[in-house]
Amino acid sequence: MDFSQVDLVTEDVMILDVGQTLFVWLGSESNDYERKQAPETAKDYLSSDPSHRDEDIPIVVIKQGTEPPNFTGNFAAWDPKLWDNMVR
């Protein structure tokens, strides 16, 4: 794992591929268009995977601030208050 929580950009929608699940994280400052397109973008991502894996794996959409343990557990350390402390 060469990523951390600080790699999640609050102004964007991010995809985290953990093999058997695809997480789509909606940053709190992402725009409506990105949010609406996120599930379709995730499906396109899966269909373009050169390994031709199963395209029916779960796609889990998560809003910033409501991250469940099966998402946060993919990060070495998770601080639920990280973004509360950032200056905007």
Side-chain angles (χ1 to χ4, degrees):
M1 297 188 321
D2 193 20
F3 58 89
S4 68
Q5 181 182 1
V6 296
D7 293 320
L8 297 172
V9 179
T10 61
E11 296 88 3
D12 286 324
V13 170
M14 313 289 285
I15 293 176
L16 177 62
D17 183 351
V18 296
Q20 296 303 316
T21 303
L22 199 65
F23 293 101
V24 179
W25 182 83
L26 308 176
S28 63
E29 299 173 35
S30 60
N31 66 51
D32 288 339
Y33 178 77
E34 289 174 314
R35 291 173 187 223
K36 288 178 186 174
Q37 289 298 117
E40 192 62 34
T41 300
K43 290 177 188 174
D44 290 345
Y45 170 85
L46 281 174
S47 68
S48 68
D49 184 342
S51 71
H52 305 290
R53 66 182 162 163
D54 186 358
E55 292 182 30
D56 290 329
I57 69 169
I59 297 173
V60 180
V61 179
I62 300 167
K63 292 181 181 178
Q64 181 181 342
T66 65
E67 296 87 356
N70 63 333
F71 177 79
T72 61
N74 292 289
F75 295 82
W78 187 267
D79 178 1
K81 297 183 186 222
L82 173 74
W83 294 293
D84 295 345
N85 300 324
M86 291 184 141
V87 178
R88 298 183 197 258

